[in-house]
Amino acid sequence: MNQAKVPVWVNIALIPLLNITLAFVISGLVIYAIGQNPIEAAGYMIYGAFGYSEGIGYTLYYATNFIFTGLAVCVAFKAGLFNIGGEGQAYIGGLGVGLVCLALDHTMPFIVIAPLAIIGAAVFGAAWAYVPAYLQARRGSHIVITTIMFNFIASSLMVYLMVNWLKGTQNMSLNSRTFEHSAWMPYLHTLLSPLGIDIGDSPVNLSFFWALLCCFGVWLLVWHTRWGYQLRTLGTNPTAAKYAGIDTAKVTIWVMMVSGALAGFVGLNEIMGVNHSLLLNFAAGYGFTGIAVALMGRNHPIGIFLAAILFGALYQGGAEVSFDMPQITPDIVVVVQGLVILFSGALEHMFKDRIEGFFIRRAAAAQEK
Amino acid sequence: MYDTLIQMLDATVRVSAPLILAALAGLFSERAGIVDISLEGKILGSAFAAAAASAVFGSAWIGLVFGIIASVALALIHGFACITHRGDHIVSGVAINTIVAGMTVTLGLHWFHLGGQTPALSGDQRFLAITLPFAHAMQDVPVIGQIYSNLISGHNILVYLAFIMVPVTYWIVYKTRFGLRLRAVGENPHAVDTAGISVTWLRYRAVMVCGVLCGVAGAYLSTAHNAGFLKNMSAGQGYMALAALIFGKWRPVPVMFACLLFGFLNAVAVRLQGVIIPGLGEVPVQAIESLPYVLTILLLAGFIGKAVGPKAVGRPYVKERA
Amino acid sequence: MINTTIPYAIELRDISKRFGAVQANKDICLQVPKGSIHGIIGENGAGKSTLMSIIYGFYEADTGHIEVDGEIVNIRTSQDAIKAGIGMVHQHFMLVENFTVLENVMLGAEGGALLRKGVSKARTELKRLASQYSLDIDVDAIVEELPVGLQQRVEILKALYRGARILILDEPTGVLTPQEADHLFRILHSLKEKGVTVLLITHKLREILASTDNVSVMRQGEMVAHRETSKTNKEELAELMVGKKVRLTVNKEEAEPGKVVLSAKHLSQFDSQGVKRLKDVSLELRAGEILGIAGVSGNGQSELLNVLSGITVMSEGEIHFAGDVISATVPKTAAQVRDMGMAHVPEDRHKMGLVTGFEAYESAVLGYHNSPVYNGKFLMNRKVMLDECSTRMAAWDVRPPNPYLKTANFSGGNQQKIVIAREVEQNPDVLLIGQPTRGVDIGAIENIHEQIVSLRDAGKAILLVSVELDEIMALSDRILVMFDGAVVGELDAKDANERVLGLMMANSYSDDPRGEPA
Amino acid sequence: ATDKPAVVYDQAGKYDKSFNEGVYNGVLKYEKDTGQKIREFEPKNEAQVEQGLRRLAQRGYSPIIAVGYSMSAATEKVAKDFPNIHFSIIDSVIKLPNVQSIVFKEQEGSFLVGALAAMKSKTNTVGFIGAIDVPLIRKFSCGYKQGVKYIAPKDKVIVNFVGSTGAAFSNPTQGSELAKSQFSQGADVIFAAAGGTGIGVYQAAADAGKYAIGVDSDQNYLHPGVMLTSMVKRVDQAAYNVYKSAAAGGWKPGVVTLGLADNGVTWALDKYNQKLITPEMKAKMKAIRKDIIDGKIKVHDYSVDNSCNM
Ligand SMILES: Nc1ncnc2c1ncn2[C@@H]1O[C@H](COP(=O)(O)OP(=O)(O)OP(=O)(O)O)[C@@H](O)[C@H]1O
Ligand SMILES: Nc1ncnc2c1ncn2[C@@H]1O[C@H](COP(=O)(O)OP(=O)(O)OP(=O)(O)O)[C@@H](O)[C@H]1O
Ligand SMILES: [Mg+2]
Ligand SMILES: [Mg+2]
């Protein structure tokens, strides 16, 4: 009821803008404090993230990962589950992609490999989420603990597999052999260059569109199917879910598997899209950042998409800043990221309540006249 | 065999100490209804501040004070976001962890020019092992001699502090006015509010206590267990503490046992590396590494049953009911 | 009408309060004489709870001020209110459920930084209060294990323990049996004799007339009338509240029971602690009749409803329904039972009947979300859901008739209408209905009762669980009484009266006229 | 090509107290000696490795040093796209006409310090702590074991690894626990090849009055009297030489293998550990070194057959 009186642009533009601005002002102070020029840094950052096509490509490439992990957190969250295991699920999802590619790249064309790789990512990611989900649903083991543990186990498993089974023979490097081209997710720039469009060499690839499709899919699934209805009921009122005859254990398990599958798609972008070989540590914190992405995006696909772009820009812009201003170390960029999460995520109400109150009062006053 | 056991238990004590401190910190916070995923960040922040101050002022005690100050400051940020501005607890926690991860290295580089590390600490800059009275004399007494002189004696003061904090926490939570209110506010803040108690101030006090304990945990890492700060040296201990907190169902003594279990499993895993199992050959080191996690999961699934946290945990307090 | 020279216990002047766009209280003035019981009535959403919350310092008024004993007090927090001698029993209890009674009472009045001293003091004080006002309670019991009646007693004890001289009760009898309610009013009267002033909010005019000295009526945020209780009557009050004439009795014809549609045989149910909550309950439900289940809440009615509706699986016994046998070994889920033609209005709409975070049209399909009516091949059909919801809102006079509004933002009465509409409109063979009018104002009650009766007249079988004896007696054709998980008596509605039922509910009735209270 | 030198560190960063820091020291020395600025980049994740290389190549930086085996895939890709830019990769082999691959015979250096450890050990037990159980680390441990066995065939070598995540390189706490565990099993000299985690190992040795062996850079100064020696991998020298030869127009593609003979790997003897090394030990080490260089002692290279069968 309250929201109705507040103009839409206030909520979707003004308030987020204020929050981000404040985050950047504080970041500027930090940068200033270590003797660097914050304005210059901001310039590099914005230019690096959005200023030219290649930079945009990188931003989108990072955003792809964040969309996947953000959606993964979101789906589970909607069912009242806190999936902190996106990291491990992404890692194992990548393993699935890698195995499909390694098995088929010599014999099959891309058209065959791509859907199988998607299935591989989904199945492996889902499988890694299945055990915690099962234990939560049937044994009451707290999902936060089990998913934390599964993140660690995923790392050990991957090192074991890479070192003992999957490592390429050529050198010390812990990569599998490089896939044949048939198992490469096409880059957008290779797709566009025949059309005469040059967008520079960036790693953004077809996975980005798959991520967009997933956004849409999650939106449909969660808000427009009965399955989504069930999971949202479970998430907001478990007693009502029982009353409604919803099999809560089953929904819990399936939700977590969908969540794991979504996280697993990170492997698509990283393994098939960019690295073209199986390797260690490609999940690189995307799973954890996905938590912030999902919550900042208000657990809605559109919000998640926007938050993912923001984080993609921070990653890419951050790399550019430290490239051009070596004194701005990657660690400062991490601080900036944290401040953005703090001010536009955790402190989102700081301005919101006041500004909304202002508009509501104005609307009410107008009504009375 | 007996010696090995004692040594493993000794390692358990060392490794569990910061977990216990951090998990008890989390207990105060979560009992008050504030989810604290930023234990990790507070430990790291305090580890840095403690090592930095200790290096500069030459005293581990001053380091400890600064560690606590840093950690409490972070706790207040968390409180400001979650209590005052009803922000999402998890987002705030993630934010704090991220900020600290970057900030410690940035400041370290800026101040010490050692690549984000603090100078190595020595002597008074560290908390050193304390030998309890008669530890040497008791050494040769069968069974208990070993336990006393090798297991109980010979730790630094923060280890003893960690273990003393368990009964102290129990006492505070169950036997004092503050504890009663603390437990109440995590279950039903409305009840606390209508009883004429400020929910905000109560929760702030809880997160500050949390900050103090995390501060000690961080100082332990950099000025007692190790001798200096290294980037990301908390290495996920905050998350393990959180897991222990849930494992111990938000109760001080079970939480301590959960921490000891994690510590013990770690000690076991360390010993088991390279062990050859007849018939199977050498167990891959990665399997041994995962052992603590796998065992934890099995225990959780087998015996612990459902862990139900404080009812209002993670939910911002708004006066009108949902 | 009131002597102005004696200061009032509490006086409100021009209190206004706005929530966003909603003017919850507007220029409210109220004077409550010392040592009186003052009733406040009004429709759902009239602003009663808001006003009381302002007095208790839970909300801060936008304008106006409060005087206690003739002096202006600045009440900004509950602490200020407590200091001014005001205590409040909230509509939704403000208890820490996993605390003991003692801990709940002490919370905020611990009497020192350590609990130990305070504990012994609290024990003695509670013992004194218990004997003075007959408020007996096991102080070491865990609150969530107590029946609601006793939970409320804890709330009252909390207020008295803090030395309240003005006691506010917001809909205190909504969850009580007549005996419990009587007991409450006896307590209130003895409080009154000790000089305590009582402010009482209730939807039950009977209680107002029986127990209060004065009554004030609120409508849409404003105080619209004050009456001396002795000089008014039900009809006038009802009209003041709703703004139109209200029929206060249920019109219903004699039942014409048909064949048995549901029979339950020897149902028993153990809870997770292994306590037997339902004991060997057998019953038959016929088409075209309303079977009332009377009983003090917490005597197995909820378990009975849950077992019958498939929410929990019985431990023993079986149910014959729609040509099927449901038993512990061959259970059916709530969804299956629903498909077989059973609808269920749960006792607690917030916990079970609705998802308060959903928009109304989504809550309006809860339990039927799998129905082909609402589903296309892959997606749910929002348009159908919205249209249907709008239609029903109009038919059931849900206010506001906005299917997009969040369920939480409807008042209790309107939420209840959404639930009942949903279940009734499924045209079920059997309708289980728990506490249909709890917390609902009289205008809405009239509507709900009419609907239940017309459903019966359409040949449906209805099982009605209610702690309101008036409701049980007005609606039922046959009445079962439950006590401690078992059925302890069965009556024809014609033979039922409040005294008999009340005694049966306390399990102290015997057919032998001489041995009346056992 | 124009001489615009650059370097991309791996994700551990240039202050990792060992490998990257070694390169960094070479960079510093070169900057000091020539006054020429070297462009540095520290990536934060996999993607930024390639991004950094590509960006430098685009801007015409050459030669570009890629630090560490984890960068080989990215380097290979970028090098293919920029055939005119010179790349030097450390610890990995890439067969491209514009890539120089610099690899070290870690096994030889490890053999030496293993021998020294065996000579020093009174308990006939020595330890090895690696960060992650990966081939490169196994190359260290394999050489170390051979060295120990060469001196004392019956001596026990306890091998432990820290973990499987990136944190394994910066977890001094676990390092110190592993060290304490090894000490309690009788070890009195521990060789740590675990980046920042080693700091915990050395500290534990200092606290327990035992010996530790540093890795990559000369770490003897960290705990004089405790650090028995360091297995120095002269990445600093290697980096320095890349820039120097490039400046002189002498940069060449192909594989450069640096072993004992080239002083690419060695054991550190300086004022901090002088007192720990007796003249006999010193002489023995000299002899072993010579034998390895002369091929009299064959040190098995783990990476040849992925096994440590001696
Ligand atoms: N916390 C709140 N936020 C916004 N609006 C509110 C809030 N509480 C009450 N209101 C508004 O104030 C009005 C009065 O609500 P209140 O709860 O006082 O009614 P009531 O008379 O107690 O109703 P009932 O008989 O159902 O208990 C409501 O119609 C609602 O619109
Ligand atoms: N958060 C809120 N925002 C807006 N309006 C609210 C809010 N909470 C309550 N209300 C309004 O307050 C009024 C009273 O609601 P409330 O839930 O108190 O009804 P109730 O009859 O007291 O409920 P119940 O019978 O279940 O106890 C409703 O009209 C509702 O619209
Ligand atoms: Mg009310
Ligand atoms: Mg009500």
Side-chain angles (χ1 to χ4, degrees), chain A residues 208-249:
Chain A
F208 176 66
F209 292 106
W210 179 245
L212 293 184
L213 222 59
C214 285
C215 280
F216 183 67
V218 165
W219 179 72
L220 277 185
L221 191 67
V222 173
W223 279 271
H224 292 275
T225 66
R226 47 196 133 148
W227 189 74
Y229 183 92
Q230 297 187 0
L231 81 87
R232 282 184 297 129
T233 305
L234 176 63
T236 23
N237 187 346
T239 325
K242 274 216 185 107
Y243 161 79
I246 294 166
D247 185 341
T248 53

Side-chain angles (χ1 to χ4, degrees), chain B residues 73-98:
Chain B
L74 292 169
L76 287 176
I77 294 177
H78 193 52
F80 183 69
C82 302
I83 305 170
T84 306
H85 287 295
R86 292 181 279 118
D88 189 286
H89 300 188
I90 293 165
V91 175
S92 170
V94 171
I96 289 173
N97 289 346
T98 313

Side-chain angles (χ1 to χ4, degrees), chain D residues 105-117 119-120 144 191 212-220 227-234 259-290 292-293:
Chain D
K105 295 184 180 164
E106 288 91 355
Q107 68 276 15
E108 293 183 352
S110 300
F111 186 101
L112 273 185
V113 298
L116 189 67
M119 288 182 244
K120 191 76 185 176
Y144 181 69
F191 178 31
I213 298 173
V215 77
D216 291 343
S217 316
D218 181 355
Q219 296 182 312
N220 293 357
M227 301 304 291
L228 182 62
T229 180
S230 296
M231 198 292 270
V232 180
K233 193 168 150 183
R234 298 302 301 269
L260 282 181
D262 327 271
N263 271 330
V265 292
T266 180
W267 67 293
L269 179 62
D270 54 24
K271 61 180 181 207
Y272 302 107
N273 64 340
Q274 247 169 12
K275 292 204 194 85
L276 302 175
I277 314 289
T278 60
E280 300 83 66
M281 287 160 82
K282 200 170 156 184
K284 184 81 186 158
M285 290 295 275
K286 227 175 174 170
I288 297 173
R289 181 169 180 276
K290 188 163 180 304
I292 294 175
I293 293 171

